[in-house]
Amino acid sequence: MSDSTPDAPITYEDIVYDSYVRNRQGSHPSKQLKKPEAFSFEPGDQKLIREADFFFLGTVTGAGWPYVQHRGGPAGFVHFIGPTTIAWAELEGNNQFVTTGNVDRDGRVALFFVNYQTRTRVKVFGNAHVVEGKDDPELMKTVRDLGDREIRSRGSRVMVVEVTAADRNCTKYIHPRWTKVEMDEHINLYRADIAELKEEKAQLQSENDELRARIAELEHR
């Protein structure tokens, strides 16, 4: 049971560590300490979220079950529109509207961001609401803006999350993975190195041939 009061902000520990969890922790309690101060993002967590090209979004169904969906887009599609407020364009999918419907009824959400290359992850809890693009075209423009380009995929609404708490912890068992683009970048670097080595080899071979010819010329004098 949470010991938070109206005067104290809700913390990550309030949300996830109830008596059942503490009982399971037993003699190995979490090293997480209760933080009475208002929540703020760590710079590294902000960076991970800003650079993400996907994350997992959990909502609560009307039957009380967790419902998890994937959200993806170009890197940078998740925007900070405030110190602890994030938003993104809800792009057209299968038109089941389970996630948005869940949020309409119960705004509590959990977001899971993971970077497989650096083996880091951030868990985020917050309260979400849906903003129709026609009601706030400036917000829609903001979440479509990637700086050097714009998200043009179809979508008529924005999901906004007022973040309550976040936590970054154990990297154990996160196996490194790379995207095709990242692999191509590495392969192209190797290809460039190989091409440079071949050029150096050809140059050395040419110089070697010249030296052999010079030696042969001197031997016949």
Side-chain angles (χ1 to χ4, degrees):
M1 183 174 181
S2 171
D3 59 358
S4 63
T5 68
D7 296 325
I10 296 174
T11 66
Y12 179 85
E13 292 75 16
D14 292 326
I15 295 171
V16 300
Y17 297 152
D18 65 5
S19 60
Y20 289 88
V21 174
R22 290 298 189 188
N23 184 56
R24 280 289 181 179
Q25 290 172 352
S27 60
H28 303 284
S30 168
K31 294 180 180 179
Q32 289 286 341
L33 299 176
K34 194 168 184 61
K35 300 177 182 178
E37 70 274 9
F39 169 75
S40 62
F41 273 106
E42 296 292 334
D45 296 346
Q46 274 195 334
K47 183 175 185 293
L48 189 154
I49 292 170
R50 289 183 192 277
E51 296 178 351
D53 59 4
F54 78 97
F55 66 93
F56 299 100
L57 172 62
T59 57
V60 184
T61 71
W65 288 77
Y67 181 81
V68 179
Q69 265 287 10
H70 174 276
R71 286 293 183 269
F77 81 105
V78 180
H79 294 256
F80 277 85
I81 61 173
T84 58
T85 306
I86 60 178
W88 63 89
E90 282 283 285
L91 305 179
E92 288 190 5
N94 56 19
N95 293 326
Q96 291 184 352
F97 298 109
V98 177
T99 295
T100 49
N102 287 343
V103 167
D104 288 340
R105 185 197 63 263
D106 186 337
R108 291 176 301 167
V109 294
L111 295 78
F112 187 88
F113 294 86
V114 57
N115 183 312
Y116 289 106
Q117 294 78 33
T118 60
R119 299 176 67 235
T120 53
R121 63 183 180 181
V122 175
K123 296 171 288 184
V124 175
F125 290 95
N127 289 282
H129 65 276
V130 179
V131 178
E132 298 298 327
K134 60 182 176 57
D135 296 332
D136 194 338
E138 283 302 312
L139 177 60
M140 177 61 80
K141 181 179 180 181
T142 295
V143 296
R144 286 183 174 276
D145 183 14
L146 297 177
D148 58 343
R149 63 193 190 283
E150 180 181 295
I151 297 175
R152 296 192 175 276
S153 302
R154 290 185 178 182
S156 59
R157 57 190 56 85
V158 178
M159 187 75 75
V160 179
V161 179
E162 303 291 343
V163 178
T164 301
D167 181 63
R168 174 194 294 226
N169 63 2
C170 183
T171 63
K172 198 173 183 179
Y173 306 125
I174 299 179
H175 302 293
R177 290 182 173 87
W178 289 268
T179 65
K180 182 180 184 302
V181 171
E182 290 164 336
M183 289 299 297
D184 287 343
E185 288 177 354
H186 287 292
I187 290 172
N188 287 337
L189 288 174
Y190 287 124
R191 286 172 176 165
D193 288 341
I194 291 171
E196 184 177 349
L197 288 171
K198 285 183 176 179
E199 185 176 341
E200 291 179 1
K201 178 183 176 182
Q203 179 64 31
L204 290 172
Q205 185 64 53
S206 176
E207 293 175 358
N208 187 54
D209 291 343
E210 290 179 5
L211 286 173
R212 287 178 181 275
R214 181 58 177 163
I215 291 172
E217 180 182 340
L218 291 173
E219 287 177 344
H220 285 82
R221 284 186 177 180

